[in-house]
Amino acid sequence: MRKWLVCLTIATLFVGCKSDEQGVQVTDGQLSFTWNADVCEQEIRLTNSGSWQVSSDANCRNWCYPVRSSGDEATITLWVSPNITDKPRSGKVTVISGGKSQEISVSQPAFTGNLDDYVYHLPVVFHVMYNDASNDTLNVKESQLKKILEGVNKLYAANKMNIVFEMAKYDKEGKKLKEPGIIRHEVKFKEYDPGKFLDHTNEEFSDYQLNLKKNINIYVFRFKQSSKESTTMGITTLPVVSKAHPLDSLLATDAANDYAYLNQSWGVCINNAGIYEWQDNKSYNPRYVVATMAHELGHYLGLLHTFSNDECNNDDACDDTHISDYDNYMAYVAKLLDDIIASGRKDISMKEVATRIDCKTNEEFLADNILDYTYTTNEKFTAQQRARTRHILKYAPLVPGPKLVDYNTTGKTMRAVSTSLDIKKITPCPEVPFRQLPVVGAK
């Protein structure tokens, strides 16, 4: 992981305690910092708790600006995004206290490493939506959400995706979250249609979001199901890209460039019915929550299903993935399971249930891609899938992480007031069965 030097010519401020003079005083000298390749913080320390205001100028307000614009604490926290561009940047932060102001110069050198090796650290916030605080399936435990994210990070690391999902630290007012990465919302409904939840005309839950350019919002609630035998485990909005940096099969628009909030729910939805579902070595669980979360986050980063819902007439825009006809495969699985039940067999090989027919080559393959569904080992990303996520991370305006373009990241006055973005692209995931299969072996 590449590191680089970020220099604050003045990093520590204090209000003098021994002097009768009011205002901001500055320590002598220059401090420099080496920061890792993630979203970083820098604290401006004050020697007393007098009230203050802080702002950043136009040159740095999209990459170095205060988490809170005013307060009376002894520290001021700056949000700092690393510079992954080939150009240095600099700006000024101004602190006002006691009627006097002090400018702080901030700068970052150009990035000189290999951008493919850059590790993105992406803050996520789980919006836990419940109508019964005593029910741990609805009001999900903090420990379980951390465990899920840890499992997802292991999958992404195993595939060298250079992406780390982290619990967000701050709410929309810039105050530290009591539970990092978690905001709990008591709601009136018992279950909700996830498609309606993410519909671009539905504003009911639009306030349940943190800054979209700094966080991935994950909504955890009970999905309204249409079948007694199966249910949808996740649904996700696809990212949009700017017109200057299009990507096959995604909406290209500049309307989102200046928005940090939308008047619709935007993000990942996870069905809490499977929030504690886990995997073991003796069975395959189609509701394994880590696989579900990794799959849905893949969608959020621009990946499409590695199967076709229209015979073999659509694909995922990647040449190195296997594409299969989903309906034909499900018909095959249904017959296979009926035959197995009729024969009285208790064990099923993974090869039997996860074998597909490639639409392009007509050859059999064992499904292992994280963007496949139902009976798959859920363990692989391909090189071209990785390339798609890198493009999204570099250019998509509503995805967190440092960018190669200068989008407005604060967005406090940029909240959308209409559906002018016309964002309708949602990735519906097929329903999965409730029962686990006693699968033995991967071959």
Side-chain angles (χ1 to χ4, degrees), residues 67-177:
V67 172
R68 298 180 64 192
S69 60
S70 63
D72 56 10
E73 299 87 353
T75 59
I76 301 171
T77 302
L78 299 179
W79 179 89
V80 182
S81 177
N83 184 12
I84 63 169
T85 74
D86 60 0
K87 295 179 175 59
R89 58 192 184 187
S90 60
K92 293 184 183 299
V93 174
T94 301
V95 179
I96 300 175
S97 180
K100 296 186 178 181
S101 66
Q102 174 64 55
E103 288 187 345
I104 303 170
S105 297
V106 294
S107 63
Q108 288 182 325
F111 182 68
T112 58
N114 184 347
L115 198 50
D116 281 342
D117 295 333
Y118 180 82
V119 179
Y120 281 84
H121 290 248
L122 306 180
V124 303
V125 55
F126 290 96
H127 296 269
V128 177
M129 304 168 70
Y130 64 93
N131 70 338
D132 181 357
S134 64
N135 187 329
D136 288 341
T137 302
L138 305 178
N139 193 19
V140 186
K141 294 179 180 179
E142 178 184 12
S143 58
Q144 179 66 4
L145 296 174
K146 289 181 177 179
K147 182 180 178 182
I148 294 168
L149 207 59
E150 180 181 341
V152 171
N153 281 330
K154 286 181 179 178
L155 270 178
Y156 276 66
N159 285 278
K160 297 180 171 57
M161 296 295 280
N162 286 355
I163 297 171
V164 179
F165 301 100
E166 299 179 338
M167 291 294 206
K169 295 181 180 179
Y170 299 99
D171 65 15
K172 63 177 60 178
E173 280 78 40
K175 297 179 181 179
K176 283 202 170 183
L177 292 167

Side-chain angles (χ1 to χ4, degrees), residues 332-344:
Y332 157 76
V333 168
K335 184 179 184 305
L336 172 67
L337 295 182
D338 286 343
D339 292 344
I340 288 172
I341 292 171
S343 68

Side-chain angles (χ1 to χ4, degrees), residues 15 21-24 48 50-53 95-101:
V15 178
E21 184 179 354
Q22 297 289 319
V24 181
N48 69 10
S51 62
W52 47 261
Q53 293 178 308
V95 179
I96 300 175
S97 180
K100 296 186 178 181
S101 66

